[in-house]
Amino acid sequence: NAGVTQTPKFQVLKTGQSMTLQCAQDMNHNSMYWYRQDPGMGLRLIYYSASEGTTDKGEVPNGYNVSRLNKREFSLRLESAAPSQTSVYFCASSPGRGRPYNEQFFGPGTRLTVL
Amino acid sequence: DAKTTQPTSMDCAEGRAANLPCNHSTISGNEYVYWYRQIHSQGPQYIIHGLKNNETNEMASLIITEDRKSSTLILPHATLRDTAVYYCIVRPLSNFGNEKLTFGTGTRLTIIP
């Protein structure tokens, strides 16, 4: 199993450009999450999806949109990138509904720089 | 979710036990203690969780005080590969699929050769 995969690994954008970060998991998990991590900080939740077809805002959703394309895939879109969105983005998944312990499994991250 | 307090950094000699403390004095009765770690440039990795009993798995042991206001993660024989930031997180057990994790800044553990 590959676990949680993310593409791309690195990306540089100019202010105002848009892009989509891709995430996929092969563990048949119901729940998926997007976090961002700024230098020297802990992770902050952007959006999450408790199950296919549902999405909810996390702690820092402004400037982002998400799509739960199917059970495997959860994408994060920046419509108009800003320098404040320079960060490392992590996708995670967990078994979800019906599985109370629900440890989260994280991908390797996407390092995004907005100039 | 209850707030946690951890030391900013710690050192431990290779081969010795690493003991990482965490204070969670406002923990509620239905909240579990989770530990994750993040090795440099990688995504966080789940280590262990517990409610009130001590727990052990292949990676670590978790000791929770009787009043549940603090806990200690123990890595029994630390190796260089255990150098990482360790996060202590408190949150309720849930099966709704919306288990948001609130990460603080954690403890940076450095294993010294």
mmCIF file with all atom_site columns, all heavy atoms in Angstrom, chain A residues 31 37 42 45 48 50 90 97-98 100-101 104 106 111, chain B residues 34 36 38 41 44 49 93-95 97-100 104:
data_model
loop_
_atom_site.group_PDB
_atom_site.id
_atom_site.type_symbol
_atom_site.label_atom_id
_atom_site.label_alt_id
_atom_site.label_comp_id
_atom_site.label_asym_id
_atom_site.label_entity_id
_atom_site.label_seq_id
_atom_site.pdbx_PDB_ins_code
_atom_site.Cartn_x
_atom_site.Cartn_y
_atom_site.Cartn_z
_atom_site.occupancy
_atom_site.B_iso_or_equiv
_atom_site.pdbx_formal_charge
_atom_site.auth_seq_id
_atom_site.auth_comp_id
_atom_site.auth_asym_id
_atom_site.auth_atom_id
_atom_site.pdbx_PDB_model_num
ATOM 1   N N   . SER A 1 31  ? -12.527 9.239  6.141  1.00 0.00 ? 31  SER A N   1
ATOM 2   C CA  . SER A 1 31  ? -12.265 10.647 6.444  1.00 0.00 ? 31  SER A CA  1
ATOM 3   C C   . SER A 1 31  ? -10.936 11.102 5.869  1.00 0.00 ? 31  SER A C   1
ATOM 4   O O   . SER A 1 31  ? -9.948  10.362 5.893  1.00 0.00 ? 31  SER A O   1
ATOM 5   C CB  . SER A 1 31  ? -12.256 10.865 7.964  1.00 0.00 ? 31  SER A CB  1
ATOM 6   O OG  . SER A 1 31  ? -13.483 10.483 8.533  1.00 0.00 ? 31  SER A OG  1
ATOM 7   N N   . GLN A 1 37  ? 1.228   23.838 7.489  1.00 0.00 ? 37  GLN A N   1
ATOM 8   C CA  . GLN A 1 37  ? 2.227   24.015 8.538  1.00 0.00 ? 37  GLN A CA  1
ATOM 9   C C   . GLN A 1 37  ? 3.186   25.125 8.131  1.00 0.00 ? 37  GLN A C   1
ATOM 10  O O   . GLN A 1 37  ? 3.943   24.984 7.176  1.00 0.00 ? 37  GLN A O   1
ATOM 11  C CB  . GLN A 1 37  ? 2.997   22.725 8.797  1.00 0.00 ? 37  GLN A CB  1
ATOM 12  C CG  . GLN A 1 37  ? 3.967   22.836 9.972  1.00 0.00 ? 37  GLN A CG  1
ATOM 13  C CD  . GLN A 1 37  ? 4.614   21.508 10.310 1.00 0.00 ? 37  GLN A CD  1
ATOM 14  O OE1 . GLN A 1 37  ? 4.857   20.680 9.449  1.00 0.00 ? 37  GLN A OE1 1
ATOM 15  N NE2 . GLN A 1 37  ? 4.882   21.295 11.603 1.00 0.00 ? 37  GLN A NE2 1
ATOM 16  N N   . GLY A 1 42  ? 2.961   24.398 14.618 1.00 0.00 ? 42  GLY A N   1
ATOM 17  C CA  . GLY A 1 42  ? 2.256   23.130 14.480 1.00 0.00 ? 42  GLY A CA  1
ATOM 18  C C   . GLY A 1 42  ? 1.323   23.171 13.286 1.00 0.00 ? 42  GLY A C   1
ATOM 19  O O   . GLY A 1 42  ? 1.174   24.193 12.619 1.00 0.00 ? 42  GLY A O   1
ATOM 20  N N   . LEU A 1 45  ? -5.635  22.900 10.762 1.00 0.00 ? 45  LEU A N   1
ATOM 21  C CA  . LEU A 1 45  ? -6.586  22.248 9.870  1.00 0.00 ? 45  LEU A CA  1
ATOM 22  C C   . LEU A 1 45  ? -7.250  23.267 8.965  1.00 0.00 ? 45  LEU A C   1
ATOM 23  O O   . LEU A 1 45  ? -7.784  24.279 9.416  1.00 0.00 ? 45  LEU A O   1
ATOM 24  C CB  . LEU A 1 45  ? -7.639  21.517 10.695 1.00 0.00 ? 45  LEU A CB  1
ATOM 25  C CG  . LEU A 1 45  ? -8.678  20.717 9.923  1.00 0.00 ? 45  LEU A CG  1
ATOM 26  C CD1 . LEU A 1 45  ? -8.021  19.547 9.197  1.00 0.00 ? 45  LEU A CD1 1
ATOM 27  C CD2 . LEU A 1 45  ? -9.773  20.216 10.858 1.00 0.00 ? 45  LEU A CD2 1
ATOM 28  N N   . TYR A 1 48  ? -11.803 19.502 6.120  1.00 0.00 ? 48  TYR A N   1
ATOM 29  C CA  . TYR A 1 48  ? -11.834 18.060 6.258  1.00 0.00 ? 48  TYR A CA  1
ATOM 30  C C   . TYR A 1 48  ? -13.099 17.515 5.607  1.00 0.00 ? 48  TYR A C   1
ATOM 31  O O   . TYR A 1 48  ? -14.051 18.252 5.340  1.00 0.00 ? 48  TYR A O   1
ATOM 32  C CB  . TYR A 1 48  ? -11.736 17.627 7.723  1.00 0.00 ? 48  TYR A CB  1
ATOM 33  C CG  . TYR A 1 48  ? -12.907 18.011 8.579  1.00 0.00 ? 48  TYR A CG  1
ATOM 34  C CD1 . TYR A 1 48  ? -13.937 17.116 8.851  1.00 0.00 ? 48  TYR A CD1 1
ATOM 35  C CD2 . TYR A 1 48  ? -12.980 19.286 9.148  1.00 0.00 ? 48  TYR A CD2 1
ATOM 36  C CE1 . TYR A 1 48  ? -15.002 17.478 9.642  1.00 0.00 ? 48  TYR A CE1 1
ATOM 37  C CE2 . TYR A 1 48  ? -14.053 19.643 9.937  1.00 0.00 ? 48  TYR A CE2 1
ATOM 38  C CZ  . TYR A 1 48  ? -15.056 18.745 10.191 1.00 0.00 ? 48  TYR A CZ  1
ATOM 39  O OH  . TYR A 1 48  ? -16.125 19.104 10.982 1.00 0.00 ? 48  TYR A OH  1
ATOM 40  N N   . ALA A 1 50  ? -15.544 14.227 6.329  1.00 0.00 ? 50  ALA A N   1
ATOM 41  C CA  . ALA A 1 50  ? -15.830 13.088 7.203  1.00 0.00 ? 50  ALA A CA  1
ATOM 42  C C   . ALA A 1 50  ? -16.234 11.853 6.405  1.00 0.00 ? 50  ALA A C   1
ATOM 43  O O   . ALA A 1 50  ? -16.060 10.728 6.869  1.00 0.00 ? 50  ALA A O   1
ATOM 44  C CB  . ALA A 1 50  ? -16.922 13.447 8.204  1.00 0.00 ? 50  ALA A CB  1
ATOM 45  N N   . PHE A 1 90  ? -0.175  19.386 4.210  1.00 0.00 ? 90  PHE A N   1
ATOM 46  C CA  . PHE A 1 90  ? -0.255  17.952 4.465  1.00 0.00 ? 90  PHE A CA  1
ATOM 47  C C   . PHE A 1 90  ? -1.691  17.479 4.326  1.00 0.00 ? 90  PHE A C   1
ATOM 48  O O   . PHE A 1 90  ? -2.616  18.092 4.849  1.00 0.00 ? 90  PHE A O   1
ATOM 49  C CB  . PHE A 1 90  ? 0.235   17.620 5.884  1.00 0.00 ? 90  PHE A CB  1
ATOM 50  C CG  . PHE A 1 90  ? 1.707   17.802 6.083  1.00 0.00 ? 90  PHE A CG  1
ATOM 51  C CD1 . PHE A 1 90  ? 2.202   18.926 6.711  1.00 0.00 ? 90  PHE A CD1 1
ATOM 52  C CD2 . PHE A 1 90  ? 2.588   16.831 5.635  1.00 0.00 ? 90  PHE A CD2 1
ATOM 53  C CE1 . PHE A 1 90  ? 3.567   19.087 6.899  1.00 0.00 ? 90  PHE A CE1 1
ATOM 54  C CE2 . PHE A 1 90  ? 3.962   16.986 5.821  1.00 0.00 ? 90  PHE A CE2 1
ATOM 55  C CZ  . PHE A 1 90  ? 4.449   18.120 6.442  1.00 0.00 ? 90  PHE A CZ  1
ATOM 56  N N   . ARG A 1 97  ? -15.978 7.193  10.293 1.00 0.00 ? 97  ARG A N   1
ATOM 57  C CA  . ARG A 1 97  ? -17.221 6.789  10.942 1.00 0.00 ? 97  ARG A CA  1
ATOM 58  C C   . ARG A 1 97  ? -17.217 5.304  11.288 1.00 0.00 ? 97  ARG A C   1
ATOM 59  O O   . ARG A 1 97  ? -16.922 4.459  10.468 1.00 0.00 ? 97  ARG A O   1
ATOM 60  C CB  . ARG A 1 97  ? -18.391 7.102  10.003 1.00 0.00 ? 97  ARG A CB  1
ATOM 61  C CG  . ARG A 1 97  ? -19.743 7.015  10.659 1.00 0.00 ? 97  ARG A CG  1
ATOM 62  C CD  . ARG A 1 97  ? -20.804 7.434  9.660  1.00 0.00 ? 97  ARG A CD  1
ATOM 63  N NE  . ARG A 1 97  ? -20.657 8.820  9.238  1.00 0.00 ? 97  ARG A NE  1
ATOM 64  C CZ  . ARG A 1 97  ? -21.154 9.856  9.900  1.00 0.00 ? 97  ARG A CZ  1
ATOM 65  N NH1 . ARG A 1 97  ? -21.844 9.643  11.000 1.00 0.00 ? 97  ARG A NH1 1
ATOM 66  N NH2 . ARG A 1 97  ? -20.988 11.080 9.450  1.00 0.00 ? 97  ARG A NH2 1
ATOM 67  N N   . GLY A 1 98  ? -17.575 5.019  12.537 1.00 0.00 ? 98  GLY A N   1
ATOM 68  C CA  . GLY A 1 98  ? -17.640 3.642  12.980 1.00 0.00 ? 98  GLY A CA  1
ATOM 69  C C   . GLY A 1 98  ? -16.331 3.109  13.517 1.00 0.00 ? 98  GLY A C   1
ATOM 70  O O   . GLY A 1 98  ? -16.256 1.989  13.989 1.00 0.00 ? 98  GLY A O   1
ATOM 71  N N   . PRO A 1 100 ? -13.796 4.337  16.240 1.00 0.00 ? 100 PRO A N   1
ATOM 72  C CA  . PRO A 1 100 ? -13.631 5.417  17.226 1.00 0.00 ? 100 PRO A CA  1
ATOM 73  C C   . PRO A 1 100 ? -12.210 5.888  17.462 1.00 0.00 ? 100 PRO A C   1
ATOM 74  O O   . PRO A 1 100 ? -12.020 7.035  17.846 1.00 0.00 ? 100 PRO A O   1
ATOM 75  C CB  . PRO A 1 100 ? -14.215 4.813  18.503 1.00 0.00 ? 100 PRO A CB  1
ATOM 76  C CG  . PRO A 1 100 ? -14.221 3.343  18.283 1.00 0.00 ? 100 PRO A CG  1
ATOM 77  C CD  . PRO A 1 100 ? -14.398 3.144  16.806 1.00 0.00 ? 100 PRO A CD  1
ATOM 78  N N   . TYR A 1 101 ? -11.191 5.054  17.259 1.00 0.00 ? 101 TYR A N   1
ATOM 79  C CA  . TYR A 1 101 ? -9.848  5.513  17.601 1.00 0.00 ? 101 TYR A CA  1
ATOM 80  C C   . TYR A 1 101 ? -9.276  6.412  16.526 1.00 0.00 ? 101 TYR A C   1
ATOM 81  O O   . TYR A 1 101 ? -8.645  7.397  16.798 1.00 0.00 ? 101 TYR A O   1
ATOM 82  C CB  . TYR A 1 101 ? -8.942  4.329  17.903 1.00 0.00 ? 101 TYR A CB  1
ATOM 83  C CG  . TYR A 1 101 ? -9.449  3.597  19.105 1.00 0.00 ? 101 TYR A CG  1
ATOM 84  C CD1 . TYR A 1 101 ? -9.981  2.323  18.997 1.00 0.00 ? 101 TYR A CD1 1
ATOM 85  C CD2 . TYR A 1 101 ? -9.462  4.212  20.350 1.00 0.00 ? 101 TYR A CD2 1
ATOM 86  C CE1 . TYR A 1 101 ? -10.478 1.672  20.114 1.00 0.00 ? 101 TYR A CE1 1
ATOM 87  C CE2 . TYR A 1 101 ? -9.966  3.562  21.452 1.00 0.00 ? 101 TYR A CE2 1
ATOM 88  C CZ  . TYR A 1 101 ? -10.466 2.301  21.332 1.00 0.00 ? 101 TYR A CZ  1
ATOM 89  O OH  . TYR A 1 101 ? -10.964 1.646  22.428 1.00 0.00 ? 101 TYR A OH  1
ATOM 90  N N   . GLN A 1 104 ? -4.792  9.273  12.535 1.00 0.00 ? 104 GLN A N   1
ATOM 91  C CA  . GLN A 1 104 ? -4.665  9.843  11.200 1.00 0.00 ? 104 GLN A CA  1
ATOM 92  C C   . GLN A 1 104 ? -3.322  9.459  10.584 1.00 0.00 ? 104 GLN A C   1
ATOM 93  O O   . GLN A 1 104 ? -2.303  9.418  11.254 1.00 0.00 ? 104 GLN A O   1
ATOM 94  C CB  . GLN A 1 104 ? -4.813  11.366 11.274 1.00 0.00 ? 104 GLN A CB  1
ATOM 95  C CG  . GLN A 1 104 ? -6.225  11.784 11.657 1.00 0.00 ? 104 GLN A CG  1
ATOM 96  C CD  . GLN A 1 104 ? -6.452  13.275 11.591 1.00 0.00 ? 104 GLN A CD  1
ATOM 97  O OE1 . GLN A 1 104 ? -5.688  14.019 10.994 1.00 0.00 ? 104 GLN A OE1 1
ATOM 98  N NE2 . GLN A 1 104 ? -7.518  13.720 12.221 1.00 0.00 ? 104 GLN A NE2 1
ATOM 99  N N   . PHE A 1 106 ? -0.691  10.477 7.565  1.00 0.00 ? 106 PHE A N   1
ATOM 100 C CA  . PHE A 1 106 ? -0.332  11.678 6.828  1.00 0.00 ? 106 PHE A CA  1
ATOM 101 C C   . PHE A 1 106 ? 0.473   11.369 5.573  1.00 0.00 ? 106 PHE A C   1
ATOM 102 O O   . PHE A 1 106 ? 1.261   10.416 5.530  1.00 0.00 ? 106 PHE A O   1
ATOM 103 C CB  . PHE A 1 106 ? 0.485   12.623 7.721  1.00 0.00 ? 106 PHE A CB  1
ATOM 104 C CG  . PHE A 1 106 ? -0.340  13.328 8.760  1.00 0.00 ? 106 PHE A CG  1
ATOM 105 C CD1 . PHE A 1 106 ? -0.706  12.679 9.927  1.00 0.00 ? 106 PHE A CD1 1
ATOM 106 C CD2 . PHE A 1 106 ? -0.770  14.625 8.552  1.00 0.00 ? 106 PHE A CD2 1
ATOM 107 C CE1 . PHE A 1 106 ? -1.484  13.314 10.885 1.00 0.00 ? 106 PHE A CE1 1
ATOM 108 C CE2 . PHE A 1 106 ? -1.541  15.281 9.514  1.00 0.00 ? 106 PHE A CE2 1
ATOM 109 C CZ  . PHE A 1 106 ? -1.901  14.621 10.671 1.00 0.00 ? 106 PHE A CZ  1
ATOM 110 N N   . ARG A 1 111 ? 5.299   21.349 -0.625 1.00 0.00 ? 111 ARG A N   1
ATOM 111 C CA  . ARG A 1 111 ? 5.928   22.608 -0.218 1.00 0.00 ? 111 ARG A CA  1
ATOM 112 C C   . ARG A 1 111 ? 5.593   23.678 -1.247 1.00 0.00 ? 111 ARG A C   1
ATOM 113 O O   . ARG A 1 111 ? 6.057   23.603 -2.379 1.00 0.00 ? 111 ARG A O   1
ATOM 114 C CB  . ARG A 1 111 ? 7.424   22.405 -0.073 1.00 0.00 ? 111 ARG A CB  1
ATOM 115 C CG  . ARG A 1 111 ? 7.750   21.690 1.218  1.00 0.00 ? 111 ARG A CG  1
ATOM 116 C CD  . ARG A 1 111 ? 8.985   20.824 1.145  1.00 0.00 ? 111 ARG A CD  1
ATOM 117 N NE  . ARG A 1 111 ? 9.143   20.082 2.401  1.00 0.00 ? 111 ARG A NE  1
ATOM 118 C CZ  . ARG A 1 111 ? 8.472   18.975 2.706  1.00 0.00 ? 111 ARG A CZ  1
ATOM 119 N NH1 . ARG A 1 111 ? 7.609   18.459 1.859  1.00 0.00 ? 111 ARG A NH1 1
ATOM 120 N NH2 . ARG A 1 111 ? 8.651   18.370 3.866  1.00 0.00 ? 111 ARG A NH2 1
ATOM 121 N N   . TYR B 2 34  ? -3.390  11.631 22.877 1.00 0.00 ? 34  TYR B N   1
ATOM 122 C CA  . TYR B 2 34  ? -2.744  11.079 21.678 1.00 0.00 ? 34  TYR B CA  1
ATOM 123 C C   . TYR B 2 34  ? -1.333  11.655 21.568 1.00 0.00 ? 34  TYR B C   1
ATOM 124 O O   . TYR B 2 34  ? -1.090  12.808 21.918 1.00 0.00 ? 34  TYR B O   1
ATOM 125 C CB  . TYR B 2 34  ? -3.509  11.477 20.409 1.00 0.00 ? 34  TYR B CB  1
ATOM 126 C CG  . TYR B 2 34  ? -4.789  10.731 20.166 1.00 0.00 ? 34  TYR B CG  1
ATOM 127 C CD1 . TYR B 2 34  ? -5.918  10.965 20.934 1.00 0.00 ? 34  TYR B CD1 1
ATOM 128 C CD2 . TYR B 2 34  ? -4.873  9.791  19.148 1.00 0.00 ? 34  TYR B CD2 1
ATOM 129 C CE1 . TYR B 2 34  ? -7.094  10.277 20.709 1.00 0.00 ? 34  TYR B CE1 1
ATOM 130 C CE2 . TYR B 2 34  ? -6.053  9.099  18.901 1.00 0.00 ? 34  TYR B CE2 1
ATOM 131 C CZ  . TYR B 2 34  ? -7.152  9.344  19.683 1.00 0.00 ? 34  TYR B CZ  1
ATOM 132 O OH  . TYR B 2 34  ? -8.317  8.664  19.457 1.00 0.00 ? 34  TYR B OH  1
ATOM 133 N N   . TYR B 2 36  ? 1.721   12.075 18.584 1.00 0.00 ? 36  TYR B N   1
ATOM 134 C CA  . TYR B 2 36  ? 2.210   11.979 17.213 1.00 0.00 ? 36  TYR B CA  1
ATOM 135 C C   . TYR B 2 36  ? 3.639   12.513 17.209 1.00 0.00 ? 36  TYR B C   1
ATOM 136 O O   . TYR B 2 36  ? 4.039   13.282 18.084 1.00 0.00 ? 36  TYR B O   1
ATOM 137 C CB  . TYR B 2 36  ? 1.375   12.834 16.255 1.00 0.00 ? 36  TYR B CB  1
ATOM 138 C CG  . TYR B 2 36  ? 0.045   12.247 15.865 1.00 0.00 ? 36  TYR B CG  1
ATOM 139 C CD1 . TYR B 2 36  ? -1.031  12.248 16.756 1.00 0.00 ? 36  TYR B CD1 1
ATOM 140 C CD2 . TYR B 2 36  ? -0.155  11.704 14.600 1.00 0.00 ? 36  TYR B CD2 1
ATOM 141 C CE1 . TYR B 2 36  ? -2.259  11.713 16.395 1.00 0.00 ? 36  TYR B CE1 1
ATOM 142 C CE2 . TYR B 2 36  ? -1.387  11.175 14.217 1.00 0.00 ? 36  TYR B CE2 1
ATOM 143 C CZ  . TYR B 2 36  ? -2.425  11.176 15.121 1.00 0.00 ? 36  TYR B CZ  1
ATOM 144 O OH  . TYR B 2 36  ? -3.638  10.648 14.763 1.00 0.00 ? 36  TYR B OH  1
ATOM 145 N N   . GLN B 2 38  ? 6.792   14.068 14.332 1.00 0.00 ? 38  GLN B N   1
ATOM 146 C CA  . GLN B 2 38  ? 7.073   14.538 12.987 1.00 0.00 ? 38  GLN B CA  1
ATOM 147 C C   . GLN B 2 38  ? 8.582   14.600 12.809 1.00 0.00 ? 38  GLN B C   1
ATOM 148 O O   . GLN B 2 38  ? 9.258   15.455 13.397 1.00 0.00 ? 38  GLN B O   1
ATOM 149 C CB  . GLN B 2 38  ? 6.450   15.910 12.738 1.00 0.00 ? 38  GLN B CB  1
ATOM 150 C CG  . GLN B 2 38  ? 6.583   16.384 11.309 1.00 0.00 ? 38  GLN B CG  1
ATOM 151 C CD  . GLN B 2 38  ? 5.835   17.677 11.064 1.00 0.00 ? 38  GLN B CD  1
ATOM 152 O OE1 . GLN B 2 38  ? 5.579   18.461 11.965 1.00 0.00 ? 38  GLN B OE1 1
ATOM 153 N NE2 . GLN B 2 38  ? 5.494   17.914 9.806  1.00 0.00 ? 38  GLN B NE2 1
ATOM 154 N N   . SER B 2 41  ? 10.809  17.282 7.843  1.00 0.00 ? 41  SER B N   1
ATOM 155 C CA  . SER B 2 41  ? 10.344  17.328 6.456  1.00 0.00 ? 41  SER B CA  1
ATOM 156 C C   . SER B 2 41  ? 9.356   16.217 6.098  1.00 0.00 ? 41  SER B C   1
ATOM 157 O O   . SER B 2 41  ? 9.041   16.053 4.926  1.00 0.00 ? 41  SER B O   1
ATOM 158 C CB  . SER B 2 41  ? 11.520  17.270 5.476  1.00 0.00 ? 41  SER B CB  1
ATOM 159 O OG  . SER B 2 41  ? 12.363  18.378 5.647  1.00 0.00 ? 41  SER B OG  1
ATOM 160 N N   . PRO B 2 44  ? 3.363   14.070 9.960  1.00 0.00 ? 44  PRO B N   1
ATOM 161 C CA  . PRO B 2 44  ? 3.289   13.489 11.307 1.00 0.00 ? 44  PRO B CA  1
ATOM 162 C C   . PRO B 2 44  ? 2.936   12.006 11.263 1.00 0.00 ? 44  PRO B C   1
ATOM 163 O O   . PRO B 2 44  ? 2.290   11.527 10.331 1.00 0.00 ? 44  PRO B O   1
ATOM 164 C CB  . PRO B 2 44  ? 2.170   14.305 11.971 1.00 0.00 ? 44  PRO B CB  1
ATOM 165 C CG  . PRO B 2 44  ? 2.154   15.599 11.240 1.00 0.00 ? 44  PRO B CG  1
ATOM 166 C CD  . PRO B 2 44  ? 2.488   15.231 9.819  1.00 0.00 ? 44  PRO B CD  1
ATOM 167 N N   . HIS B 2 49  ? -2.049  6.204  21.883 1.00 0.00 ? 49  HIS B N   1
ATOM 168 C CA  . HIS B 2 49  ? -3.061  6.989  22.580 1.00 0.00 ? 49  HIS B CA  1
ATOM 169 C C   . HIS B 2 49  ? -3.534  6.219  23.813 1.00 0.00 ? 49  HIS B C   1
ATOM 170 O O   . HIS B 2 49  ? -3.325  4.997  23.916 1.00 0.00 ? 49  HIS B O   1
ATOM 171 C CB  . HIS B 2 49  ? -4.247  7.315  21.667 1.00 0.00 ? 49  HIS B CB  1
ATOM 172 C CG  . HIS B 2 49  ? -5.147  6.159  21.384 1.00 0.00 ? 49  HIS B CG  1
ATOM 173 N ND1 . HIS B 2 49  ? -4.890  5.244  20.389 1.00 0.00 ? 49  HIS B ND1 1
ATOM 174 C CD2 . HIS B 2 49  ? -6.291  5.757  21.982 1.00 0.00 ? 49  HIS B CD2 1
ATOM 175 C CE1 . HIS B 2 49  ? -5.851  4.326  20.374 1.00 0.00 ? 49  HIS B CE1 1
ATOM 176 N NE2 . HIS B 2 49  ? -6.717  4.616  21.327 1.00 0.00 ? 49  HIS B NE2 1
ATOM 177 N N   . LEU B 2 93  ? -12.854 10.935 22.193 1.00 0.00 ? 93  LEU B N   1
ATOM 178 C CA  . LEU B 2 93  ? -13.030 9.788  21.326 1.00 0.00 ? 93  LEU B CA  1
ATOM 179 C C   . LEU B 2 93  ? -14.300 10.006 20.523 1.00 0.00 ? 93  LEU B C   1
ATOM 180 O O   . LEU B 2 93  ? -15.285 10.498 21.035 1.00 0.00 ? 93  LEU B O   1
ATOM 181 C CB  . LEU B 2 93  ? -13.170 8.527  22.172 1.00 0.00 ? 93  LEU B CB  1
ATOM 182 C CG  . LEU B 2 93  ? -13.148 7.202  21.415 1.00 0.00 ? 93  LEU B CG  1
ATOM 183 C CD1 . LEU B 2 93  ? -11.786 6.974  20.816 1.00 0.00 ? 93  LEU B CD1 1
ATOM 184 C CD2 . LEU B 2 93  ? -13.520 6.064  22.345 1.00 0.00 ? 93  LEU B CD2 1
ATOM 185 N N   . SER B 2 94  ? -14.255 9.657  19.250 1.00 0.00 ? 94  SER B N   1
ATOM 186 C CA  . SER B 2 94  ? -15.414 9.913  18.411 1.00 0.00 ? 94  SER B CA  1
ATOM 187 C C   . SER B 2 94  ? -15.436 8.916  17.273 1.00 0.00 ? 94  SER B C   1
ATOM 188 O O   . SER B 2 94  ? -14.396 8.448  16.853 1.00 0.00 ? 94  SER B O   1
ATOM 189 C CB  . SER B 2 94  ? -15.352 11.331 17.845 1.00 0.00 ? 94  SER B CB  1
ATOM 190 O OG  . SER B 2 94  ? -16.255 11.488 16.771 1.00 0.00 ? 94  SER B OG  1
ATOM 191 N N   . ASN B 2 95  ? -16.594 8.597  16.800 1.00 0.00 ? 95  ASN B N   1
ATOM 192 C CA  . ASN B 2 95  ? -16.669 7.771  15.604 1.00 0.00 ? 95  ASN B CA  1
ATOM 193 C C   . ASN B 2 95  ? -17.477 8.456  14.510 1.00 0.00 ? 95  ASN B C   1
ATOM 194 O O   . ASN B 2 95  ? -18.089 7.817  13.681 1.00 0.00 ? 95  ASN B O   1
ATOM 195 C CB  . ASN B 2 95  ? -17.267 6.401  15.938 1.00 0.00 ? 95  ASN B CB  1
ATOM 196 C CG  . ASN B 2 95  ? -18.718 6.513  16.374 1.00 0.00 ? 95  ASN B CG  1
ATOM 197 O OD1 . ASN B 2 95  ? -19.213 7.603  16.617 1.00 0.00 ? 95  ASN B OD1 1
ATOM 198 N ND2 . ASN B 2 95  ? -19.398 5.396  16.474 1.00 0.00 ? 95  ASN B ND2 1
ATOM 199 N N   . GLY B 2 97  ? -16.132 10.552 12.339 1.00 0.00 ? 97  GLY B N   1
ATOM 200 C CA  . GLY B 2 97  ? -15.300 10.799 11.166 1.00 0.00 ? 97  GLY B CA  1
ATOM 201 C C   . GLY B 2 97  ? -14.844 12.226 11.029 1.00 0.00 ? 97  GLY B C   1
ATOM 202 O O   . GLY B 2 97  ? -14.341 12.627 9.992  1.00 0.00 ? 97  GLY B O   1
ATOM 203 N N   . ASN B 2 98  ? -15.006 13.014 12.087 1.00 0.00 ? 98  ASN B N   1
ATOM 204 C CA  . ASN B 2 98  ? -14.568 14.410 12.007 1.00 0.00 ? 98  ASN B CA  1
ATOM 205 C C   . ASN B 2 98  ? -13.571 14.721 13.109 1.00 0.00 ? 98  ASN B C   1
ATOM 206 O O   . ASN B 2 98  ? -13.659 15.746 13.772 1.00 0.00 ? 98  ASN B O   1
ATOM 207 C CB  . ASN B 2 98  ? -15.770 15.347 12.104 1.00 0.00 ? 98  ASN B CB  1
ATOM 208 C CG  . ASN B 2 98  ? -16.557 15.132 13.380 1.00 0.00 ? 98  ASN B CG  1
ATOM 209 O OD1 . ASN B 2 98  ? -16.246 14.237 14.160 1.00 0.00 ? 98  ASN B OD1 1
ATOM 210 N ND2 . ASN B 2 98  ? -17.548 15.945 13.612 1.00 0.00 ? 98  ASN B ND2 1
ATOM 211 N N   . GLU B 2 99  ? -12.608 13.820 13.274 1.00 0.00 ? 99  GLU B N   1
ATOM 212 C CA  . GLU B 2 99  ? -11.698 13.937 14.404 1.00 0.00 ? 99  GLU B CA  1
ATOM 213 C C   . GLU B 2 99  ? -10.573 14.902 14.095 1.00 0.00 ? 99  GLU B C   1
ATOM 214 O O   . GLU B 2 99  ? -9.515  14.522 13.610 1.00 0.00 ? 99  GLU B O   1
ATOM 215 C CB  . GLU B 2 99  ? -11.120 12.560 14.756 1.00 0.00 ? 99  GLU B CB  1
ATOM 216 C CG  . GLU B 2 99  ? -12.130 11.627 15.366 1.00 0.00 ? 99  GLU B CG  1
ATOM 217 C CD  . GLU B 2 99  ? -13.093 11.064 14.346 1.00 0.00 ? 99  GLU B CD  1
ATOM 218 O OE1 . GLU B 2 99  ? -12.778 11.075 13.150 1.00 0.00 ? 99  GLU B OE1 1
ATOM 219 O OE2 . GLU B 2 99  ? -14.174 10.620 14.741 1.00 0.00 ? 99  GLU B OE2 1
ATOM 220 N N   . LYS B 2 100 ? -10.828 16.167 14.332 1.00 0.00 ? 100 LYS B N   1
ATOM 221 C CA  . LYS B 2 100 ? -9.830  17.187 14.059 1.00 0.00 ? 100 LYS B CA  1
ATOM 222 C C   . LYS B 2 100 ? -8.739  17.134 15.130 1.00 0.00 ? 100 LYS B C   1
ATOM 223 O O   . LYS B 2 100 ? -9.019  17.048 16.305 1.00 0.00 ? 100 LYS B O   1
ATOM 224 C CB  . LYS B 2 100 ? -10.491 18.564 14.065 1.00 0.00 ? 100 LYS B CB  1
ATOM 225 C CG  . LYS B 2 100 ? -11.506 18.741 12.960 1.00 0.00 ? 100 LYS B CG  1
ATOM 226 C CD  . LYS B 2 100 ? -12.414 19.930 13.207 1.00 0.00 ? 100 LYS B CD  1
ATOM 227 C CE  . LYS B 2 100 ? -13.516 19.585 14.175 1.00 0.00 ? 100 LYS B CE  1
ATOM 228 N NZ  . LYS B 2 100 ? -14.521 20.669 14.264 1.00 0.00 ? 100 LYS B NZ  1
ATOM 229 N N   . GLY B 2 104 ? -0.088  21.672 18.745 1.00 0.00 ? 104 GLY B N   1
ATOM 230 C CA  . GLY B 2 104 ? 0.657   22.808 19.279 1.00 0.00 ? 104 GLY B CA  1
ATOM 231 C C   . GLY B 2 104 ? 2.014   22.847 18.608 1.00 0.00 ? 104 GLY B C   1
ATOM 232 O O   . GLY B 2 104 ? 2.170   22.397 17.474 1.00 0.00 ? 104 GLY B O   1
#
